[in-house]
Amino acid sequence: MKRSQKRLLSLLMIVVLGLTMTMTAFATGTGSESTQGQTLEPVDTPSDEQQTEQEDTDSDDTQTPSAKEPEEKTDSSDDDVEEKPPVQGDVTQDSGEKEKVQGEIEVDKEDDNVVVQKNEKPYLALGADLTSEQQAKVLALMGIDSSNLTDYDVVYVTNDMEHQYLDAYLPSSTIGTRALSSVLIVEGKKGSGIQVSTKNISYCTVSMYKNALATAGMEDAKVIVAGPSPISGTAALIGALEAYAKMTGEEIKKESLDAAMNELVVTGELANAIGGDKAQVEEFIAYVKQEVVKNDLDDKESINEAIEKGCKEFDITLTESQKKQLLELLQKISDLDLDWDQLLNQASDVYDRLDEMGLLSGQGIGAKIKDLFQSIVDFFKSFF
């Protein structure tokens, strides 16, 4: 009996010991799982609201990446690039080194990509109200080292000059109180025509400048028009012609400058009036101008007929006020006694477009090539 009791007690002790070991192991496993669970708690991972807040912060400050969320930063920066791409370009300086120009730089799609070569001598017309920082930026966009500014012939365009030539065509509030438009002029090769590049010019197009500069009598020049930030560029024409006069040593006639300024403003206003298609209006103005210059039109009746013809060709409807405005401009152009071939060669881009449309009356590049082949044929025919 006693032996049986001892066996029972031994079994109970074994069971108790086994249960104790099992509970200890279970407790240890549970503690480990608990510790692992704590590492998955959302302490380092922001909530949806926090993620949105972080993304907004990164978007506003794209130059300072987030140390906690580099992936979120990258995505946010990419979004910013798609919406407003920062333009970066290499600008060759006189020293031969390259300086990075950063920022949102507006460039016309028709840009001629004018570059100043080392052996060329630029003439500058700078806005008189540029700050030193703005001037340095404008010069960099032109490819000029600001530290070497004294090496160049420079004229300054004042706000008073802008009002002098623009008050007749634009409200004073539009012209403003500061002269910022700046221009670089380089003499081009004979017969190269007018080539134009624009940087941060938001209103005037490359073709608008070419048309107006050709009207003013400019020949064979490379032109860069630049602003420290996006500006209209309307007043830049003054600087371009001032610098051109300095380069050639020939004074620009007041009548020529007035007609050029008038043409620039009328082109822009008509483009706005018909829905903002500047290219169509550039071609329309070039067309009616060729009709006046080529055919020596000088009376109101014949010029009005040219305007009506142009409206039909380009499917443009003008009000009586707009027709009168255009008539006054074309009368000024008629009085300048411009040479048709010179006008054609200096603003060749826009007149080539008219030639492609069949509106150049046999004076375009295509017609010239055709005439050349015809002359060759006639030459060989003369032998027989």
Side-chain angles (χ1 to χ4, degrees):
M1 182 71 179
K2 288 183 179 180
R3 187 178 296 178
S4 299
Q5 288 177 347
K6 286 181 179 181
R7 284 183 181 176
L8 181 60
L9 286 172
S10 297
L11 287 174
L12 286 173
M13 287 178 67
I14 292 170
V15 171
V16 170
L17 181 61
L19 287 174
T20 302
M21 291 177 65
T22 302
M23 290 177 65
T24 302
F26 179 79
T28 303
T30 305
S32 176
E33 288 177 6
S34 176
T35 303
Q36 291 175 2
Q38 286 176 3
T39 62
L40 298 177
E41 286 293 319
V43 174
D44 295 331
T45 305
S47 64
D48 291 342
E49 277 185 16
Q50 289 172 326
Q51 286 179 346
T52 304
E53 243 182 76
Q54 181 64 39
E55 288 172 0
D56 291 342
T57 303
D58 292 341
S59 297
D60 294 337
D61 187 11
T62 57
Q63 295 183 3
T64 308
S66 169
K68 289 187 178 181
E69 298 288 338
E71 293 181 1
E72 292 291 334
K73 175 66 192 93
T74 302
D75 293 340
S76 176
S77 298
D78 290 342
D79 290 339
D80 284 346
V81 170
E82 290 177 4
E83 292 176 4
K84 293 183 178 180
V87 179
Q88 301 182 359
D90 290 341
V91 178
T92 303
Q93 305 297 322
D94 294 341
S95 61
E97 298 176 355
K98 292 186 177 181
E99 176 182 324
K100 290 286 185 181
V101 176
Q102 299 181 352
E104 294 173 18
I105 303 171
E106 293 191 5
V107 178
D108 193 323
K109 63 181 180 181
E110 301 296 333
D111 196 278
D112 288 328
N113 298 313
V114 174
V115 177
V116 180
Q117 304 298 331
K118 288 185 178 180
N119 61 336
E120 294 177 325
K121 183 182 180 181
Y123 290 78
L124 302 172
L126 301 177
D129 296 311
L130 290 169
T131 65
S132 57
E133 183 180 352
Q134 289 173 330
Q135 181 173 287
K137 181 175 181 179
V138 164
L139 291 173
L141 291 174
M142 293 175 173
I144 299 296
D145 187 343
S146 57
S147 64
N148 296 330
L149 186 59
T150 54
D151 296 341
Y152 303 98
D153 289 291
V154 183
V155 295
Y156 291 90
V157 178
T158 66
N159 188 243
D160 287 340
M161 294 169 66
E162 293 177 346
H163 281 278
Q164 178 185 348
Y165 291 106
L166 285 168
D167 273 347
Y169 310 115
L170 294 171
S172 294
S173 58
T174 302
I175 301 169
T177 58
R178 295 185 301 161
L180 301 176
S181 297
S182 299
V183 184
L184 175 149
I185 300 283
V186 177
E187 186 175 0
K189 294 180 180 179
K190 187 69 177 176
S192 61
I194 301 171
Q195 301 173 49
V196 178
S197 282
T198 61
K199 314 290 182 184
N200 282 335
I201 303 300
S202 59
Y203 181 75
C204 297
T205 66
V206 164
S207 293
M208 284 169 69
Y209 282 127
K210 286 184 180 180
N211 270 338
L213 291 170
T215 295
M218 181 179 284
E219 296 181 52
D220 302 327
K222 298 196 295 185
V223 182
I224 300 176
V225 185
S229 57
I231 56 178
S232 69
T234 307
L237 203 64
I238 302 168
L241 294 173
E242 287 286 338
Y244 182 71
K246 185 83 172 177
M247 182 180 75
T248 60
E250 299 179 3
E251 185 178 354
I252 299 295
K253 294 180 181 179
K254 182 179 178 181
E255 296 80 7
S256 298
L257 178 53
D258 177 64
M261 296 299 299
N262 194 356
E263 179 176 342
L264 199 69
V265 174
V266 167
T267 304
E269 289 182 346
L270 288 184
N272 287 338
I274 67 168
D277 191 342
K278 291 181 182 177
Q280 183 186 21
V281 175
E282 290 162 4
E283 293 160 0
F284 169 69
I285 294 292
Y287 176 80
V288 293
K289 189 162 65 172
Q290 74 148 355
E291 291 295 303
V292 169
V293 175
K294 186 177 136 191
N295 299 312
D296 295 322
L297 306 182
D298 57 5
D299 61 280
K300 289 184 179 181
E301 184 178 354
S302 60
I303 294 176
N304 276 324
E305 288 178 0
I307 292 173
E308 293 295 338
K309 184 179 177 182
C311 288
K312 290 180 181 178
E313 292 287 358
F314 288 88
D315 193 23
I316 290 176
T317 302
L318 301 179
T319 65
E320 290 303 316
S321 175
Q322 290 166 342
K323 289 178 182 178
K324 181 181 178 182
Q325 188 181 22
L326 186 54
L327 171 63
E328 292 173 355
L329 167 62
L330 293 172
Q331 284 179 313
K332 290 179 183 180
I333 291 175
S334 176
D335 292 340
L336 294 178
D337 195 26
L338 296 172
D339 180 83
W340 164 239
D341 287 328
Q342 179 183 326
L343 192 66
L344 177 67
N345 292 330
Q346 296 306 313
S348 59
D349 290 359
V350 67
Y351 286 107
D352 286 348
R353 297 202 313 253
L354 292 184
D355 185 31
E356 292 171 1
M357 298 163 66
L359 299 176
L360 204 55
S361 303
Q363 293 293 332
I365 301 300
K368 288 182 178 180
I369 294 174
K370 182 179 178 181
D371 290 343
L372 175 62
F373 278 106
Q374 187 60 48
S375 64
I376 292 172
V377 171
D378 292 341
F379 172 76
F380 283 105
K381 280 184 178 180
S382 65
F383 285 103
F384 301 97

